[in-house]
Amino acid sequence: MASPTIQSLRSVALNVPDLQRAETFYTQVWHLTVADRTDDAIYLRGTGPAHHILALHHGGEARPHRRISCRKSQG
């Protein structure tokens, strides 16, 4: 069923307990590349034009889904 307001998924931000381990997984298994990093976050890009599609933030496991960003449909 198509949504009249959401066109596509833009990016996802996750809280992870171990940034280095998560970076290794997403770069080696999913083949994403590091676009940017801070002391407590890593931003990973895919092959498209977006700066990043996945943001990993150092945090606990209580709320792993930090943010999900969608693109609105035109019209």
Side-chain angles (χ1 to χ4, degrees), residues 2-75:
S3 170
T5 57
I6 297 175
Q7 178 184 7
S8 62
L9 180 65
R10 242 173 97 188
S11 65
V12 174
L14 303 174
N15 289 331
V16 296
D18 185 333
L19 272 177
Q20 182 58 51
R21 190 171 177 189
E23 177 183 353
T24 298
F25 174 79
Y26 286 106
T27 57
Q28 291 183 6
V29 176
W30 282 29
H31 303 287
L32 299 178
T33 58
V34 176
D36 201 1
R37 69 174 70 236
T38 66
D39 289 340
D40 63 348
I42 300 171
Y43 301 88
L44 300 159
R45 64 177 294 127
T47 57
H51 175 267
H52 69 278
I53 58 172
L54 179 62
L56 303 171
H57 297 267
H58 183 260
E61 296 182 35
R63 290 181 44 220
H65 298 93
R66 183 180 179 107
R67 180 180 309 133
I68 297 175
S69 177
C70 297
R71 185 179 325 257
K72 288 184 176 182
S73 294
Q74 303 292 326

